[in-house]
Amino acid sequence: MAVVMTIDNETCSKCGLCFEVCPAMAISWEKGQFPVQNPVRREICIECGQCMAVCPNESIITGDMNYESDFTPLAREHIGYQDFIDLTTSRRSIRNFKDKPVPRDLLEKIVAAIAQAPMGFPPHKTELTVIQNRGEIEKMLPYMIDFYDRLLKWFANPVKRFFIKRDAGPETFSSMQNHLIPILKIKMPDMKKGGRDEIARGAPVLILFHAKKLAESHTNDAYIAVGYGLLAAHALGLGATAISLIPPAISRSPELRQMLQLEDDQEVTASMIVGYPRFRYQRGVLRSLARVRWM
């Protein structure tokens, strides 16, 4: 359905900024004239809000967007590069947590930061489930352990391993073969006995990222959103890490899906654990990319 765009000609300054900024070129404009909706490209307007965000006079309205509810004033000064680097280098993936609940207001701030993550096609397809009760997380663990115990047995069977490789794809299969399976072989006996929580790491909070299975770009959107969540948690003095073990277990466990009240057309694509760090690090680890090419 084509998005309806309206222009307030009484306040519009004819600057053409909306025309220049529109990534879909869904606006037509000539110097000295009022902008109008491009009749040929109106079908590909995705209501990204770029035109409304750049308009100095709030003269353009796109679709159902509203200046009061869908926009916020921007800070006059941006964060400095060094401040950003200090934030990123001091952040660590935290897997040891204090036995201390995280207040709801801090979790709401993390959620608000996640909502600001860019997406492939607006509006957001990403949905969250925030599990802020450690007891509920512990109820989920046996089902996850059972899934990975079965995965170990499947991997030992050449026929089943072939189908796992075919369905998982080369990248995921390589990660499973080189990292996940060797780790599970060592840790599974203790996990089955109810030993240390090697999946959610004893965290008091688990955030699940899910969306409808056929939603556009929802997998990549979730990965980006997790990054925002990790940085937000760190900025709030919390510790967090992304946990890739959890989504596959949920996808293949009817009990977990029922426990989480996930609809049949929903899939969990990412997850992160959050809590107060048990240890304070004294230094950051400098990272290097595998390769950088300048062309």
Side-chain angles (χ1 to χ4, degrees):
M1 182 180 294
V3 174
V4 176
M5 185 194 79
T6 59
I7 301 289
D8 185 344
N9 289 349
E10 292 187 5
T11 60
C12 177
S13 64
K14 305 178 184 178
C15 64
L17 290 176
C18 57
F19 161 76
E20 303 226 7
V21 80
C22 179
M25 296 183 68
I27 300 173
S28 298
W29 173 77
E30 293 183 8
K31 189 173 182 179
Q33 302 296 317
F34 290 113
V36 295
Q37 192 166 25
N38 187 325
V40 177
R41 290 177 169 264
R42 59 182 300 182
E43 297 284 346
I44 61 174
C45 172
I46 57 174
E47 289 188 80
C48 64
Q50 296 262 19
C51 58
M52 294 179 66
V54 78
C55 181
N57 302 317
E58 298 186 358
S59 301
I60 185 169
I61 301 291
T62 304
D64 296 324
M65 300 191 77
N66 183 284
Y67 280 105
E68 293 185 1
S69 61
D70 296 316
F71 295 87
T72 184
L74 295 179
R76 292 186 176 275
E77 294 183 7
H78 294 289
I79 184 174
Y81 177 76
Q82 190 58 51
D83 291 331
F84 174 75
I85 290 298
D86 289 344
L87 176 70
T88 56
T89 55
S90 61
R91 194 207 71 81
R92 299 289 303 163
S93 291
I94 302 299
R95 299 178 180 86
N96 296 279
F97 300 93
K98 295 179 180 179
D99 184 13
K100 179 181 177 181
V102 179
R104 174 69 174 264
D105 65 311
L106 295 186
L107 296 176
E108 288 176 346
K109 289 180 178 179
I110 294 175
V111 170
I114 290 172
Q116 296 306 309
M119 73 232 48
F121 301 96
H124 261 305
K125 312 302 186 298
T126 303
E127 301 178 15
L128 300 182
T129 294
V130 182
I131 305 169
Q132 52 186 330
N133 185 321
R134 175 62 195 174
E136 293 301 313
I137 298 174
E138 290 177 351
K139 291 179 184 178
M140 299 169 61
L141 292 177
Y143 298 103
M144 297 183 189
I145 292 170
D146 178 66
F147 166 71
Y148 282 108
D149 186 41
R150 285 184 282 123
L151 180 63
L152 272 175
K153 296 172 183 176
W154 296 337
F155 228 82
N157 183 310
V159 175
K160 291 186 177 181
R161 189 168 63 248
F162 168 81
F163 286 105
I164 291 173
K165 183 176 183 179
R166 185 196 65 179
D167 295 340
E171 181 182 0
T172 299
F173 182 81
S174 178
S175 297
M176 294 169 66
Q177 181 173 254
N178 298 331
H179 299 285
L180 177 60
I181 297 302
I183 291 173
L184 287 177
K185 287 180 179 179
I186 295 173
K187 293 185 176 182
M188 185 54 68
D190 187 55
M191 291 168 65
K192 291 172 68 175
K193 294 178 182 178
R196 180 181 176 182
D197 174 10
E198 298 284 358
I199 297 178
R201 301 287 182 165
V205 176
L206 170 63
I207 301 178
L208 303 176
F209 297 70
H210 48 90
K212 292 185 181 298
K213 295 178 181 179
L214 299 181
E216 305 93 330
S217 71
H218 73 275
T219 301
N220 289 335
D221 288 352
Y223 296 155
I224 297 171
V226 168
Y228 272 57
L230 296 176
L231 290 174
H234 180 54
L236 291 167
L238 299 169
T241 190
I243 299 293
S244 60
L245 286 173
I246 293 176
I250 293 176
S251 296
R252 292 161 180 81
S253 170
E255 295 86 356
L256 287 175
R257 294 185 64 85
Q258 182 177 12
M259 189 181 300
L260 294 165
Q261 300 178 15
L262 290 173
E263 299 174 1
D264 291 341
D265 63 348
Q266 292 263 324
E267 66 175 348
V268 177
T269 51
S271 69
M272 59 180 281
I273 52 176
V274 183
Y276 285 97
R278 184 179 172 190
F279 306 114
R280 180 177 180 179
Y281 292 93
Q282 303 299 318
R283 56 200 61 84
V285 179
L286 296 177
R287 306 291 189 187
S288 298
L289 296 171
R291 185 182 182 188
V292 177
R293 297 179 63 205
W294 301 88
M295 298 180 67

